[in-house]
Amino acid sequence: MTTENAWLPRILRPADVGADATPQGLEEYLRATDVARLLAEERAVYFRGFGITADSYDGAADLLLANRLAYVHGNSPRTKVGRNLYTSTEYPAEFEISMHNEMSYAHAWPSRILFFCDVAAATGGATPLVDGRLWLESIDPEIRAAFAAGVRYTQNLHDGMGFGKSWQATFETEDRAEVETFLDGAEAEWGWQPDGTLRVTQLRRATLEHPVTGTEVWFNQADQWHIAGLGDDAAALAEIIPEDELPQNAFFADGSPIPAEYITHVQEIGMKTAVDVAWEAGDLLLVDNVAVAHGRRAFTGQRRILVAMA
């Protein structure tokens, strides 16, 4: 296995690009820059020291993300706070979030993610980043081979009361027909249960070739969906809810169970090979969502990171 990490995200400050240390300075720089090329070369870029605030965010964000996407079919707990702008997650501060590519379980996923640090944590709270190629190469070959046919994801989205997210929150609508149309277009299997729960099954790839570089990367969220990925909470949840009624779960492509030790290995390798850059208030972080996976370190304080996708 390979565990050496030579890649680091790029940090660009006003002095690095000859720009004023203001939101307008960043906007001028971005208008004169081939952002697609910059991101393809660097994979992740921090824009630091430009004094970005919640009030000045949209100017730079519109230049970095041409069309912001709604977080439809997203599985993380978030709150919408602006024009397709969300809290990054509302998962409790004391827990780490393992490495993942945003919505890699879905039929379509964002190619870019833009994080904004409105309030930095008192301690901790970095967004670890991992080169997807390195993550793939560092996973035990036997485990990589076991995932060759892909991952089968299952969801049970309740009708307003229960564990996990409701289908209304997941799809940002109260209209069943709208959800059905979306799922048909996403090549998912689905069905309404007698209690109003929506059960969804999706077969997706475990790795992906980057559309620009052709590099193969680890690209799935089996470890986040699998019950073993919940750590100490897994056993307690399994005692309360039958396996086929869990809010979400993951299996091998043929529907057979994924061993818990495979899940633990994938998570540990992802976190081990990741690199951290501590947030500073006003930072923007642009991430290539195929080339690079991200997570979250535990923290204290009132950390507030916002995210948009395109």
Side-chain angles (χ1 to χ4, degrees):
M1 295 188 298
T2 301
T3 56
E4 181 181 356
N5 189 358
W7 175 79
L8 291 171
R10 181 79 179 274
I11 299 177
L12 289 181
R13 299 175 175 84
D16 299 327
V17 298
D20 291 338
T22 64
Q24 294 73 26
L26 176 57
E27 292 172 34
E28 291 176 6
Y29 165 73
L30 293 175
R31 289 191 187 97
T33 300
D34 185 340
V35 174
R37 180 176 179 179
L38 174 67
L39 190 58
E41 292 175 349
E42 303 294 347
R43 290 171 272 181
V45 182
Y46 284 85
F47 299 96
R48 173 166 290 174
F50 291 94
I52 303 298
T53 64
D55 291 337
S56 61
Y57 167 86
D58 281 334
D62 288 344
L63 294 169
L64 292 167
L65 302 179
N67 297 293
R68 293 188 217 172
L69 301 174
Y71 189 57
V72 175
H73 204 182
N75 71 320
S76 179
R78 303 181 192 272
T79 298
K80 195 170 187 176
V81 297
R83 177 164 51 89
N84 287 343
L85 179 65
Y86 302 82
T87 55
S88 61
T89 184
E90 292 167 10
Y91 200 59
E94 63 268 28
F95 299 112
E96 288 191 332
I97 297 176
S98 60
M99 308 308 296
H100 61 286
N101 303 82
E102 200 65 47
M103 298 184 71
S104 56
Y105 55 83
H107 175 66
W109 49 84
S111 59
R112 297 182 186 182
I113 305 176
L114 181 64
F115 296 95
F116 166 57
C117 181
D118 189 23
V119 179
T123 63
T127 294
L129 301 172
V130 64
D131 178 347
R133 174 201 57 79
L134 176 66
W135 193 7
L136 174 63
E137 292 176 353
S138 301
I139 292 171
D140 185 282
E142 178 182 335
I143 295 176
R144 291 203 307 265
F147 281 94
V151 179
R152 185 174 296 275
Y153 299 96
T154 64
Q155 283 178 294
N156 288 291
L157 302 170
H158 62 76
D159 193 28
M161 184 175 294
F163 288 98
K165 292 180 73 174
S166 69
W167 63 264
Q168 294 95 332
T170 298
F171 294 99
E172 296 190 2
T173 182
E174 300 282 340
D175 187 341
R176 283 192 177 198
E178 186 177 337
V179 174
E180 293 168 2
T181 298
F182 178 92
L183 291 173
D184 286 341
E187 301 176 1
E189 300 174 16
W190 57 270
W192 298 101
Q193 306 306 303
D195 64 354
T197 294
L198 175 61
R199 183 167 295 167
V200 181
T201 301
Q202 305 173 87
L203 178 60
R204 306 299 184 209
R205 295 181 57 176
T207 66
L208 194 69
E209 290 185 358
H210 192 280
V212 175
T213 66
T215 301
E216 186 178 14
V217 298
W218 186 252
F219 193 81
N220 69 81
Q221 282 169 257
D223 62 300
Q224 288 197 326
W225 285 55
H226 194 284
I227 189 170
L230 298 177
D232 294 339
D233 293 333
L237 191 62
E239 290 180 0
I240 298 171
I241 306 175
E243 186 175 54
D244 63 350
E245 296 179 12
L246 288 168
Q248 60 188 40
N249 208 343
F251 304 86
F252 286 127
D254 62 2
S256 60
I258 302 172
E261 58 268 27
Y262 283 19
I263 297 300
T264 300
H265 172 79
V266 167
Q267 284 191 334
E268 289 179 348
I269 290 295
M271 297 303 269
K272 181 179 180 181
T273 53
V275 294
D276 293 353
V277 176
W279 283 109
E280 295 181 10
D283 281 356
L284 290 174
L285 168 61
L286 185 65
V287 176
D288 181 323
N289 186 46
V290 175
V292 173
H294 65 277
R296 191 200 70 186
R297 302 295 184 185
F299 67 93
T300 65
Q302 300 299 314
R303 178 186 190 269
R304 179 175 168 86
I305 307 295
L306 304 180
V307 62
M309 302 164 235

